[in-house]
Amino acid sequence: MPGLLTPSNDTSSSIIPYSSDSTTPTVYTLNHNLKPPTTPRLSISWSRGNSLRVTVFRSPVTTDNEPGGKVVELNLSGEDVDSDIEINNAARWRRIVYGSVSPFAHLQNKKNALAALDEFRRSVSHDGDWSKYVLQYSKEINSLLGSKKSSPTPLIEDPKTVLKVEEPSSLKAAWELLEIFYADKQSHPWIPEQLVDWLSDYDVLFSGQVPSVHLKLVEFQAELINIQEVENEPTYWQAISSALAVGWLDIVVKLLRLHGSYQLNQLGTRETENGLVEAVAVLVSKMPRMRADLPLGKLGECYNNKSDFMRAWEKWRAQITKLDCSAFWLQCSHNQTKENLKNLLQILLGNTSTVSSATCHWVELYIAHFLYIRPFTSGLESMYVLAQKCIQLKPISTPHKLMRLILGILEENTEVVLAECSRSFGPWMIAHATELLTAGSVEAEILLKEERDNLGGISIEESHRLVYAQVLSSHALTWQIAPIYLISCMKHGVGLLEILLYKQPAYHSQVLLKNIEICRMYDLDSVSSTAMKIAGVHHWKHGRKGAGVFWLQQARDEVRLNRIAQKLFDFVGKSISDESFEQWEGLIELLGSESKTVGGLEFLHKYRDFKKSLQQVQDGVFTDAARKAGEALILLMKNPSTPQRFWLPLLYDSLKLLNWRERPLLNVSQTNMLLNKLQELSVARLRPDFVEAGLPPEALSSVRVALATNLGRAILEE
Amino acid sequence: MEPEPQTTQTNLHILPQSSYIDSLRFLPPISAFSRHIAVASFNSDTSIPSLTLHSLTTTPTLTPITSFTPSSRITSLKTTQSLIAASTVTGSVHILFPNLINGTFESEVNVPDNVLHSGRVSGLDVLESGGECVSVGEDGRVNVISVGEDGRVDYRKVFDGKGLVSFTAVKWASQMEFVTGGFGNCVQWWDVRRAGGPVSQFKGNWAQGATSGIIHSIDIHPSRKHTCLAGGSYGTVFAWDLRRPQQPIVLSGIDNGETAACISESDVWEVHYDTFMSASDHAKLSSKGVLPAMICSEDGILAVLKQGEEPTELLAENCAINCFDIDPHNPSDVICGLEWESIALLTRA
């Protein structure tokens, strides 16, 4: 697999991460009574999903109930994938799998439709229409990964609730990063602001591994209930400056208004102090921001045009500087308030060291740079340089997977991005993210779509889809989805689809019907007819003759139907002359009368008709019925599909017809034909493979006599 | 006469579950605001089948109340005023008596594997009045199970096809008669008073040359006991009138140049007469025609078919719709079991 085997420092010896402490593997014992010596054997095979089955087979050392072998089932999965709670939950994970089918298939259809047009050249990625489709695809997938902050705001908001507790998924965080950089071309001028939003949604994800502003705020919120005068607490001011540094302006303003000077009983004595706090709060909430719009509840003033923004930015900074130099500070008696407010102004003015001490890890520092120091940064190259600078200021020994992904994107290194997606987020992510990557740049598109000899002639894109399809195939509820991904693989897709379909248990009726349906959709007639044959033989072997015949008929399997016919005739010979005719009705009805599809079985249909009319003759004396029965007999005897072994029983059954009292029912030529058949039968009897019908010994002679008599009467009549 | 619009205003809610839905049924309501449904599901992670009672609120949400573990996966599920009957792939039949006020199963009767059928019981139906339950299987057996007031069960074999035929669906027509369906689009009419075989049978081979199919589901309207509605492979839906046994009325499917529309080319998994009707529908009803029928299909379609009219599509999903049920007391509401582990609740306006 491409890009998967990157050696990492921590797990240098294992290719697939396997932590033995996560779950105890299932162990089955094998008991056998084979006598030694038996050669010990070891076999390894894939079980369902990511489970690997290791079987050890050996002879017991002692005989006291020691098992002769063991089967161990190990669950292998990527460490990161496994540790994610949201992925661990299989049902929730399948919901994502199901939901992504439609956007993926829709995008492939669009791609094929565009490819069919002549105008569609290699410049797909620059086509406006195409990027619109890709963005739509990205948004649809994104919405599957979790709702975007849609939790309803409580009617009475608790003034002391600073943060809402939510658990976003790192998968969604990663997908949004890819969307920002590769899919959402329209919003490219606002990438820095998009990253600000991104961090405010997902900073919580870093908390598990490194200290973060989010963590700081959560801790402060827990303390808040017990604090009487917040402005005296250093943690209060730290929380405010950290929130300000990463641009969570609404939180900053909310916290500032908890300041003691707002309390009614203190307003008179702390008027200047309160004025300063409010001035800072207003400045914060008026911060100019270069973006199209702001979601409800977020603060700042939007400018979507660079020159307007620049003017507003300069004006805003001038106001800050003015406040910084104001004489009111001297009148402020509360020392902590004075110092910390000044500190906040330093952040707003972009003081590098203040910003650095207010943030926790390099991504936060990076965001702070965008907000207060270099709001005009654009272009991936300069963004990458800035990121490097931030990492130097706040180094991390083992970077978080999202940090690695951000760096890969900024570095414009598609291979790193691919490897990160694959390593941290698994086959689903990479199979779906390639669509965004190829839309992102021509280089990435060439890299992903180029056919490679080391991958067996397929492209990286195809190989990832095949891997994902393989994952889908291994689960009973998702294998039906795999064909949609396989069919989008030009080189090996159809071949693997056929293998997948052949591997399904065709004897399971629901699976068989699903199989046939998939074959119908992708024109795989030979595969479905094979499945029907397997099902037919299975049913036949298990005594369900009707179902067996039905499926073999559907598969138009003449050879097997003919073989089956011979076996059925054995049954018929024994049972149909009994009164158990009703049982056969259903099967004979199923066979129908068309000779083409049923092999030799059409005989049964005619035989049934003959038997019916013969029965009517026996019930009463009706010459008309007898004449019909005679005709049916001639038809049967003439028909080449009537097996030879039935000739004598048929004639013996119709003795009554041959000896019909009122008049001969058969004419001369008909009687001659029957006599010839009888002659043929006598010759055939000499052959060793002849099957004797279980009739009384005088049967042949009595038929012969009856025919001879009939011949005589017929000649006289004519 | 102005043309009838073919759209129906609907309100759809998809409720994700965490197991595969095999079948679902509405239960009789205990009050105007409290509705319950029975869901047969299969958890493929643990390989445990279950039959769960859910209460359905107007929000809408489904809340599991109580659950029962059948011996294996449920193939067919039926509910009446007093009981829930379920058949399984391994040949057992379970009859449960729910108490919706307490949210429990009061008692249960189980007929173990291989007593009634060897192998898969493919169809099951209970008389609306309770008591008699008919089951059919791939082994070709037809059994009638009587459930007494005291919870005692008694069963008798009506027919043993010995595997020469297989049945795939069954539905009571009256106290004494029922209809079965099987391979080759065969439909059989039975009378429990007449042993030994079906009273009448019909083979749907109008699709000459084309491949023949399997009947997956049968419904019979209580007011028209002589006509049965059947749905099966290749989008086939037809009505079979016992009084005109050789002339089926094809509502959908590959037909010999007839005018029936083909709503789907995939398997039709379930058919029910649609009891939800507007005033104009009532006016158009004649005693001759086939009543409106609702179907669900492998290619994700839930639709209403009316004789001689274009079908009305209610849902077009990306995955198969395996089963559905119309609320008998509030026929505007339909629940569907979707292949992708979810239940859809549809309300028609």
Side-chain angles (χ1 to χ4, degrees):
Chain A
M1 272 176 258
L4 280 179
L5 305 181
T6 25
S8 53
N9 309 326
D10 42 351
T11 53
S12 51
S13 58
S14 67
I15 294 172
I16 301 169
Y18 172 70
S19 55
S20 50
D21 50 70
S22 59
T23 44
T24 9
T26 328
V27 182
Y28 306 95
T29 49
L30 287 176
N31 291 308
H32 64 83
N33 297 322
L34 292 175
K35 290 193 181 70
T38 45
T39 340
R41 264 169 273 175
L42 177 76
S43 95
I44 300 173
S45 63
W46 284 108
S47 174
R48 263 173 54 170
N50 280 346
S51 298
L52 192 68
R53 202 176 271 165
V54 185
T55 314
V56 186
F57 181 83
R58 63 191 174 113
S59 51
V61 183
T62 56
T63 45
D64 315 335
N65 287 333
E66 202 193 342
K70 275 180 184 171
V71 183
V72 184
E73 224 172 60
L74 302 167
N75 197 309
L76 306 173
S77 35
E79 45 173 351
D80 288 332
V81 175
D82 207 26
S83 65
D84 260 340
I85 306 153
E86 80 269 11
I87 293 175
N88 231 349
N89 187 335
R92 276 178 72 184
W93 176 240
R94 283 199 298 276
R95 221 166 285 159
I96 295 175
V97 168
Y98 298 143
S100 46
V101 171
S102 156
F104 179 83
H106 198 69
L107 191 72
Q108 299 307 316
N109 287 345
K110 281 272 184 329
K111 197 186 280 180
N112 295 340
L114 283 176
L117 293 172
D118 285 342
E119 305 87 34
F120 190 69
R121 296 177 301 275
R122 281 212 54 85
S123 58
V124 191
S125 45
H126 302 302
D127 194 330
D129 273 354
W130 180 245
S131 48
K132 210 166 67 196
Y133 296 140
V134 172
L135 181 61
Q136 192 193 346
Y137 161 79
S138 176
K139 297 253 187 242
E140 279 171 38
I141 299 270
N142 193 356
S143 68
L144 289 173
L145 302 176
S147 56
K148 176 133 188 161
K149 303 275 165 223
S150 60
S151 55
T153 40
L155 285 174
I156 306 159
E157 210 175 342
D158 180 5
K160 294 209 166 182
T161 307
V162 182
L163 277 177
K164 284 180 199 122
V165 185
E166 267 176 84
E167 243 182 273
S169 79
S170 57
L171 190 63
K172 188 176 169 72
W175 187 271
E176 270 184 25
L177 273 181
L178 298 179
E179 184 176 294
I180 291 169
F181 284 98
Y182 300 120
D184 197 357
K185 300 237 157 108
Q186 298 249 302
S187 314
H188 266 187
W190 300 297
I191 282 189
E193 279 284 345
Q194 280 183 294
L195 288 176
V196 173
D197 290 354
W198 181 86
L199 187 75
S200 76
D201 286 344
Y202 301 112
D203 196 36
V204 55
L205 295 170
F206 295 109
S207 306
Q209 210 171 319
V210 289
S212 70
V213 170
H214 184 270
L215 194 64
K216 225 187 232 182
L217 287 171
V218 170
E219 282 168 4
F220 172 66
Q221 181 165 306
E223 282 175 39
L224 192 57
I225 315 157
N226 305 320
I227 300 176
Q228 290 299 319
E229 287 164 345
V230 277
E231 62 273 22
N232 295 335
E233 295 294 323
T235 47
Y236 169 70
W237 293 107
Q238 275 166 21
I240 294 180
S241 58
S242 290
L244 182 63
V246 290
W248 303 349
L249 307 183
D250 48 333
I251 293 175
V252 173
V253 171
K254 196 170 177 181
L255 283 175
L256 280 175
R257 298 214 164 121
L258 292 178
H259 194 273
S261 62
Y262 281 97
Q263 284 175 14
L264 287 173
N265 55 357
Q266 308 212 353
L267 224 80
T269 50
R270 300 167 76 176
E271 205 176 352
T272 320
E273 193 184 339
N274 181 251
L276 286 167
V277 176
E278 184 57 25
V280 173
V282 168
L283 274 176
V284 165
S285 60
K286 295 265 184 226
M287 178 178 175
R289 311 187 63 166
M290 196 160 85
R291 57 189 295 157
D293 50 9
L294 268 171
L296 199 73
K298 299 281 173 194
L299 300 175
E301 283 180 353
C302 296
Y303 297 91
N304 56 9
N305 160 321
K306 203 169 176 176
S307 59
D308 287 352
F309 171 72
M310 202 116 88
R311 242 173 279 134
W313 171 258
E314 291 303 334
K315 202 175 142 201
W316 179 68
R317 280 175 70 100
Q319 285 170 342
I320 298 168
T321 324
K322 200 175 151 200
L323 179 64
D324 199 20
C325 307
S326 151
F328 288 112
W329 296 107
L330 297 170
Q331 299 170 24
C332 177
S333 54
H334 197 269
N335 224 5
Q336 262 168 314
T337 304
K338 188 163 76 182
E339 271 169 30
N340 284 299
L341 284 179
K342 283 247 183 193
N343 190 47
L344 292 183
L345 291 184
Q346 285 307 305
I347 292 175
L348 291 176
L349 287 170
N351 181 320
T352 322
S353 63
T354 325
V355 163
S356 178
S357 60
T359 51
C360 299
H361 55 79
W362 74 261
V363 184
E364 286 170 0
L365 182 60
Y366 189 50
I367 296 302
H369 267 90
F370 283 138
L371 282 165
Y372 306 109
I373 301 168
R374 293 168 61 179
F376 303 110
T377 315
S378 66
L380 284 176
E381 207 180 326
S382 56
M383 286 175 81
Y384 181 62
V385 173
L386 183 58
Q388 289 291 359
K389 196 179 142 197
C390 293
I391 293 171
Q392 271 173 14
L393 288 167
K394 288 199 179 286
I396 281 178
S397 56
T398 47
H400 190 273
K401 55 187 172 184
L402 287 170
M403 294 179 178
R404 295 194 301 250
L405 184 62
I406 295 173
L407 274 182
I409 293 171
L410 294 175
E411 210 184 340
E412 291 183 83
N413 191 334
T414 313
E415 274 155 319
V416 171
V417 175
L418 279 176
E420 270 319 317
C421 284
S422 164
R423 184 162 83 145
S424 310
F425 305 101
W428 175 86
M429 177 67 164
I430 194 142
H432 290 88
T434 44
E435 294 299 337
L436 301 188
L437 289 171
T438 49
S441 73
V442 179
E443 292 76 31
E445 195 189 351
I446 293 170
L447 178 85
L448 281 160
K449 297 205 166 169
E450 188 188 11
E451 290 171 1
R452 282 152 201 274
D453 289 336
N454 60 350
L455 293 177
I458 60 172
S459 63
I460 294 181
E461 183 186 55
E462 177 163 347
S463 88
H464 285 308
R465 276 185 201 162
L466 293 177
V467 170
Y468 179 57
Q470 208 64 35
V471 172
L472 292 176
S473 308
S474 67
H475 194 280
L477 293 183
T478 55
W479 76 267
Q480 305 95 309
I481 296 169
I484 291 158
Y485 291 88
L486 286 173
I487 218 72
S488 71
C489 299
M490 297 304 288
K491 285 246 163 153
H492 293 323
V494 177
L496 285 170
L497 176 57
E498 288 184 6
I499 293 172
L500 170 67
L501 294 172
Y502 281 133
K503 267 165 58 183
Q504 299 307 317
Y507 46 84
H508 190 300
S509 48
Q510 296 304 308
V511 175
L512 174 67
L513 292 173
K514 191 88 206 176
N515 219 334
I516 294 170
E517 171 75 8
I518 293 170
C519 291
R520 194 179 64 81
M521 278 167 66
Y522 300 112
D523 290 325
L524 298 168
D525 290 346
S526 67
V527 181
S528 69
S529 91
T530 308
M532 291 185 216
K533 282 177 198 173
I534 294 170
V537 171
H538 178 86
H539 283 301
W540 176 265
K541 277 185 178 169
H542 286 79
R544 294 183 291 272
K545 299 188 178 63
V549 167
F550 173 77
W551 285 118
L552 290 174
Q553 269 183 317
Q554 295 295 93
R556 295 170 204 279
D557 188 347
E558 297 271 332
V559 179
R560 279 185 191 83
L561 278 173
N562 279 326
R563 291 270 292 278
I564 275 181
Q566 298 309 314
K567 298 212 165 180
L568 266 183
F569 296 154
D570 291 346
F571 286 110
V572 174
K574 282 178 201 123
S575 71
I576 210 161
S577 42
D578 303 333
E579 289 302 300
S580 61
F581 210 79
E582 297 279 2
Q583 283 175 354
W584 286 90
E585 275 293 344
L587 179 63
I588 289 164
E589 196 63 39
L590 180 65
L591 293 171
S593 50
E594 315 101 83
S595 57
K596 263 177 275 170
T597 51
V598 290
L601 292 170
E602 60 151 331
F603 156 72
L604 281 179
H605 203 271
K606 295 203 173 73
Y607 187 58
R608 193 263 318 248
D609 291 347
F610 167 67
K611 278 275 183 179
K612 261 191 180 164
S613 49
L614 207 60
Q615 230 162 19
Q616 283 173 342
V617 173
Q618 274 157 356
D619 291 346
V621 191
F622 300 107
T623 312
D624 199 39
R627 194 178 45 77
K628 269 191 187 148
E631 277 166 16
L633 173 70
I634 294 298
L635 267 177
L636 264 177
M637 293 299 284
K638 263 189 185 164
N639 195 320
S641 72
T642 304
Q644 202 175 41
R645 72 175 107 144
F646 275 89
W647 291 355
L648 191 56
L650 275 170
L651 290 170
Y652 188 66
D653 279 351
S654 12
L655 272 181
K656 206 172 187 178
L657 298 176
L658 300 177
N659 297 323
W660 199 251
R661 217 172 291 161
E662 289 159 35
R663 60 184 200 85
L665 293 172
L666 308 175
N667 64 27
V668 180
S669 66
Q670 284 171 335
T671 323
N672 274 328
M673 189 271 289
L674 293 182
L675 279 167
N676 284 339
K677 290 274 178 189
L678 217 55
Q679 189 61 32
E680 224 178 287
L681 200 62
S682 315
V683 177
R685 273 185 129 167
L686 303 173
R687 286 210 299 268
D689 59 339
F690 184 79
V691 188
E692 275 293 352
L695 290 173
E698 72 282 0
L700 181 63
S701 54
S702 50
V703 167
R704 195 169 275 152
V705 172
L707 278 177
T709 322
N710 191 72
L711 182 64
R713 288 167 70 195
I715 291 170
L716 281 178
E717 188 146 293
E718 285 170 22
Chain B
M1 207 171 86
E2 55 182 81
E4 187 72 19
Q6 287 305 315
T7 50
T8 308
Q9 290 284 319
T10 55
N11 191 356
L12 175 71
H13 291 277
I14 305 255
L15 309 166
Q17 306 293 302
S18 53
S19 52
Y20 190 88
I21 310 299
D22 284 324
S23 189
L24 36 68
R25 295 280 171 256
F26 275 105
L27 288 164
I30 44 173
S31 75
F33 303 103
S34 149
R35 280 196 290 180
H36 291 83
I37 61 170
V39 178
S41 59
F42 182 72
N43 186 327
S44 67
D45 296 320
T46 55
S47 296
I48 296 172
S50 65
L51 172 59
T52 315
L53 286 189
H54 289 269
S55 79
L56 176 64
T57 55
T58 43
T59 325
T61 46
L62 280 179
T63 321
I65 296 172
T66 184
S67 144
F68 166 80
T69 308
S71 63
S72 59
R73 243 176 128 147
I74 289 173
T75 52
S76 187
L77 181 71
K78 292 287 155 71
T79 52
T80 67
Q81 278 297 328
S82 56
L83 59 83
I84 300 173
S87 60
T88 69
V89 286
T90 49
S92 58
V93 170
H94 303 278
I95 294 165
L96 304 158
F97 298 88
N99 183 331
L100 295 177
I101 296 159
N102 300 346
T104 52
F105 289 116
E106 238 159 39
S107 62
E108 59 187 69
V109 185
N110 306 311
V111 185
D113 296 350
N114 298 322
V115 174
L116 295 169
H117 295 275
S118 68
R120 189 184 167 87
V121 186
S122 40
L124 175 92
D125 193 34
V126 195
L127 268 179
E128 201 47 51
S129 56
E132 301 270 281
C133 179
V134 58
S135 71
V136 295
E138 281 180 353
D139 57 356
R141 287 189 205 161
V142 179
N143 292 294
V144 171
I145 308 154
S146 311
V147 189
E149 288 288 311
D150 52 350
R152 272 178 51 116
V153 284
D154 194 23
Y155 41 86
R156 65 178 194 281
K157 201 180 286 172
V158 175
F159 181 73
D160 189 351
K162 298 212 166 98
L164 290 169
V165 281
S166 289
F167 300 108
T168 51
V170 66
K171 177 79 190 173
W172 283 106
S174 70
Q175 299 280 339
M176 290 294 167
E177 294 154 294
F178 59 88
V179 177
T180 59
F183 290 112
N185 284 340
C186 283
V187 183
Q188 296 91 4
W189 198 285
W190 304 74
D191 189 322
V192 284
R193 291 161 296 198
R194 187 185 172 280
V199 178
S200 175
Q201 72 172 331
F202 162 73
K203 183 171 190 255
N205 55 350
W206 58 84
Q208 294 284 347
T211 37
S212 169
I214 306 168
I215 301 287
H216 294 308
S217 174
I218 295 177
D219 196 19
I220 293 171
H221 198 273
S223 72
R224 306 207 178 164
K225 297 189 170 177
H226 45 81
T227 307
C228 81
L229 176 73
S233 316
Y234 308 105
T236 304
V237 182
F238 65 93
W240 182 49
D241 191 332
L242 191 61
R243 298 166 303 180
R244 284 178 288 275
Q246 295 314 316
Q247 294 165 316
I249 300 154
V250 182
L251 295 175
S252 160
I254 310 156
D255 193 8
N256 267 355
E258 287 289 319
T259 48
C262 191
I263 180 80
S264 158
E265 284 178 41
S266 310
D267 292 89
V268 170
W269 290 124
E270 197 154 357
V271 290
H272 289 295
Y273 279 113
D274 186 13
T275 39
F276 178 68
M277 265 181 271
S278 61
S280 65
D281 284 338
H282 272 293
K284 272 192 289 182
L285 271 186
S286 68
S287 56
K288 266 189 180 172
V290 183
L291 297 168
M294 193 185 285
I295 62 133
C296 71
S297 76
E298 171 66 31
D299 53 1
I301 287 171
L302 182 76
V304 177
L305 307 177
K306 290 176 191 162
Q307 194 180 356
E309 278 182 43
E310 278 295 305
T312 315
E313 220 169 76
L314 296 177
L315 260 185
E317 285 294 307
N318 292 315
C319 62
I321 302 179
N322 289 327
C323 49
F324 75 96
D325 195 25
I326 304 170
D327 188 350
H329 299 275
N330 191 9
S332 63
D333 291 5
V334 183
I335 43 169
C336 309
L338 306 184
E339 183 186 13
W340 287 346
E341 297 172 78
S342 46
I343 292 175
L345 176 71
L346 189 89
T347 309
R348 291 178 279 179

